[in-house]
Each structure stands twice: as structure tokens, then as C-alpha cells.
Amino acid sequence: MDKFGYMEKYGYEQLCFFHDKSTGLKAITAIHNTVLGPALGGSRFWNYDNEDQAIEDALRLARGMTYKSALAGLALGGGKTVIWGDPSVLRKDPIKREAFWRAFGRYLEGLNGRYITAEDVGTSTQDMVYVNMETDHVVGLPGRSGDPSPYTARGVFKSILACCKHVYGSDDLTGKVVAVQGVGNVGYYLCRYLHESGAKLIISDIKQESIDKVVNEFGATVVAPNEIYGVECDIYAPCALGATVNDDTIPQFKCKIVCGGANNVLKDAPVHGKTLQSKGIVYAPDYLANAGGVINVSYERAEGGYNEEASLRDVDFIYTRMLDILTIAKETGRLTYEVADELAEKRIEAVRNIKSIYTHK
């Protein structure tokens, strides 16, 4: 992988590699942009096939966080950490687990606040407690904002409502069929919101425990992971890993809306965004749809401390912002992600220009 070429093309600031031999820590932190503020993004623990795959995931996710925070109106930039390994193995050894995450916290402290982390796929609030023993540059902690998953799911739910309002003229979900791919943390809470709103659920996941929980609580119908793309539904909600909208899956789609909690849903945004549009399928830009989590954890840094009421107010505003983007895209014939990108980039440039004004500190 041409790392410097990739970073230059997409405007990255920093790419860091952390390794601790005693605990087996292999972490990659990408910082994309800090114009709006320190980079914030969760730490993803995943057993990647190879090093280049891990690096590319960190870079893509970090860039998405820049746009997510910009569009959400936050004073934060974009960053992300990926940790290469199997989190289930680490959880079997409590002593090594603590040492592992505290080592990671020591490395983050060395970034001197340029990057703030939180939980993500494969990590938990307890992992972040260990990180917090070594650095204050971590959010999503128990007793503060806590697990961001319910808030991420709430934002996705509000986005689905906005998409339905745009497509069907009503945001009433009664009888609407939603195919949810991945019913772990975010997917589970999304299913709860959808079920309470009268939607019918079709789900898939690679973990039987997660499937059983959603089936027992919400009466969902289960299909195999490779069958979720072709089910008859109104909305496809990807809530697992990214790039599930691609050359192989799009021909199978029988939905009107793609809106989920996963990051980087479009494998190749220009190509697959256009293909969805040509098929009459509305795509909700993922970094707006799933911004609820980062909005919530950002309130840990607010003056006066965490305020859930204010957080929920901002998460719910995703509905209005999403509806605006869908409307602009329809009126101009542009792709929805292009409209969202432009709005995020305009805000970054506006703040960059303001920061050119000298102030004495």
C-alpha cells in the first residue's frame, strides 16, 4: 500500500503504529483532520486478514469521522484506531486484558490530546476504563455518557424516519419491512426502535446469541448472512461492517431505502452511489445516519459535564438534517453523499479561514 500517496490524496495528517510485545498490542491510529478540533473516533478490534487491510480500514474510518463530526456541528476532527487481533481471546485473560488496554492508553497519552478514543466494534466500556487509567483522552465511560450504541441506533432510526418521509410521504413505519444486517450493539437497539414503531424485522448475523435475543424480544424473521441482500423489504439497514453495497449485492436489492449504522457502506462511493440512484434506491449518507454515538460522547467534553437531554436533542436533529440532504439531492439530481460531503467540507473550510485570524494566548 502506498501510504503517503493515500494520505496525500485524501488529506490525512498522521498515521501512527503502536506495538507492545508483552501484551501483543498491535494498533494503528489514523488522524485525518483536526481543523474543527481534536480528532475523535472509536477503537475497533478486529482480526484483519493482513496489515494493509487494517491500515486501509483505519484511514477510511478516520476520514468518515471527520465528515461525521463536521456535519453534526461538533468542534471535533476525525480519527480512528484499529487494533489487529481477536478480542475474544483477550477477554479470557483479565490480567492481560488490563495490561493490554493500559498499554494502549499510554501510547494515546503520547499523542497529547490530538486524538480521543472511545469504544467501537470489538471493544467495550470496560476496555475504555482501562485506557482511562493511563490517559484522559477517552470518552464513552461508565458514569458519564456510557455506551454510545443506543445513541447511534437512535440516530439511524431518525434517519430511517426521514428517508420514509422523503420516499413515502410519511414517517409512519407501521407495516414497513426492515432488513437489518448485524444485530449486535447498534443493530439490537435499532431493532428495538423499529419494533416499537410497528415495523417488521428481517435480520441476519454471524452470532447466534445476538440473533436469539432479537428474535425472542422482537419476533424477527431470520435469514442467512448471504441472503439478507435479496429479501423483499422497504429498507435495508446495514449495521455490521462496511462496503456491503457493492457490485455483488446491489443487483439483489429489493428495497427502496438503504440506511444503517455501519460506516463506509458504499464500497466505491461514486460508482455504487450512482448505481443506487439509477435503480431508484435512496441512500442515506452513513456518516450522518450513524452520528448519534459521537454526538453523545462529545457531551462528556462539554462545559458543566455530560448532559443527556442536550445530547438527545442533537441526536434527534439528525432527522431534519437528513431530510434536508435528501431534498437537495432530489432537487439538484445529485447523489446524496455528494451533497453531504459538500456541506461537511464547507464547514471545515469556513472554520479553517476563521483560524487564520491571529489571537494571542
Side-chain angles (χ1 to χ4, degrees):
M1 181 182 185
D2 179 8
K3 301 176 187 64
F4 281 113
Y6 192 102
M7 292 174 71
E8 182 177 2
K9 181 178 179 180
Y10 295 108
Y12 290 85
E13 296 177 3
Q14 196 169 358
L15 184 63
C16 307
F17 294 81
F18 305 135
H19 177 247
D20 182 66
K21 185 177 180 180
S22 64
T23 62
L25 171 70
K26 294 180 181 179
I28 303 164
T29 295
I31 297 175
H32 177 248
N33 186 291
T34 55
V35 169
L36 298 177
L40 189 149
S43 292
R44 174 167 296 190
F45 205 153
W46 194 256
N47 205 9
Y48 295 94
D49 292 336
N50 54 64
E51 184 178 295
D52 279 353
Q53 187 184 64
I55 294 169
E56 184 175 6
D57 203 26
L59 290 167
R60 281 169 56 88
L61 291 166
R63 184 166 175 250
M65 290 302 302
T66 294
Y67 284 72
K68 183 182 300 188
S69 291
L71 208 55
L74 304 177
L76 293 167
K80 200 76 173 185
T81 293
V82 300
I83 297 169
W84 189 4
D86 185 348
S88 65
V89 173
L90 188 64
R91 293 189 187 115
K92 296 175 183 177
D93 187 338
I95 294 176
K96 185 175 182 179
R97 180 184 179 187
E98 177 184 350
F100 181 96
W101 287 110
R102 292 185 68 169
F104 177 57
R106 297 284 286 185
Y107 285 124
L108 289 193
E109 180 66 13
L111 294 178
N112 199 32
R114 278 180 48 77
Y115 169 70
I116 303 162
T117 198
E119 51 267 63
D120 197 270
V121 175
T123 59
S124 68
T125 52
Q126 181 56 52
D127 297 329
M128 297 305 109
V129 169
Y130 291 136
V131 174
N132 189 221
M133 290 179 180
E134 304 298 334
T135 182
D136 289 331
H137 305 306
V138 54
V139 290
L141 296 166
R144 300 182 194 175
S145 69
D147 181 6
S149 299
Y151 302 90
T152 301
R154 186 182 180 100
V156 176
F157 174 67
K158 293 294 181 178
S159 296
I160 288 175
L161 292 179
C163 289
C164 286
K165 179 70 173 179
H166 178 75
V167 172
Y168 301 111
S170 170
D171 57 15
D172 183 3
L173 294 183
T174 304
K176 291 287 188 295
V177 179
V178 186
V180 183
Q181 181 199 43
V183 290
N185 293 336
V186 172
Y188 166 78
Y189 288 109
L190 177 60
C191 287
R192 174 189 285 178
Y193 278 116
L194 294 169
H195 175 71
E196 291 173 351
S197 298
K200 298 178 181 179
L201 299 171
I202 301 175
I203 66 167
S204 70
D205 200 285
I206 59 174
K207 295 183 178 179
Q208 191 61 44
E209 181 181 0
S210 298
I211 291 172
D212 292 343
K213 186 176 183 181
V214 173
V215 170
N216 292 336
E217 293 187 27
F218 311 129
T221 299
V222 183
V223 297
N226 63 346
E227 294 177 356
I228 194 72
Y229 310 109
V231 300
E232 294 276 358
C233 63
D234 298 289
I235 301 125
Y236 166 57
C239 294
L241 297 181
T244 63
V245 176
N246 53 55
D247 290 340
D248 295 327
T249 61
I250 292 177
Q252 302 177 54
F253 287 166
K254 299 181 180 68
C255 59
K256 289 291 186 182
I257 296 165
V258 173
C259 179
N263 291 301
N264 300 320
V265 169
L266 304 178
K267 185 173 183 180
D268 186 328
V271 173
H272 300 122
K274 186 67 176 178
T275 305
L276 288 180
Q277 185 187 60
S278 68
K279 290 174 66 70
I281 299 173
V282 168
Y283 167 66
D286 51 66
Y287 61 77
L288 175 57
N290 63 24
V294 70
I295 289 171
N296 188 59
V297 298
S298 73
Y299 270 92
E300 285 190 31
R301 296 169 47 81
E303 187 174 346
Y306 177 66
N307 184 326
E308 185 177 30
E309 183 179 352
S311 171
L312 290 174
R313 178 199 63 213
D314 286 358
V315 172
D316 289 350
F317 190 68
I318 289 175
Y319 176 99
T320 302
R321 190 170 285 119
M322 182 65 75
L323 199 54
D324 287 345
I325 287 172
L326 298 178
T327 301
I328 293 170
K330 183 178 181 179
E331 291 175 347
T332 61
R334 300 173 65 195
L335 302 179
T336 54
Y337 88 86
E338 291 176 334
V339 175
D341 282 2
E342 183 179 88
L343 291 174
E345 289 163 3
K346 280 184 176 179
R347 180 167 180 251
I348 292 169
E349 284 310 302
V351 174
R352 191 194 304 274
N353 291 335
I354 290 169
K355 288 189 174 182
S356 67
I357 301 169
Y358 174 77
T359 58
H360 175 69
K361 291 185 178 181

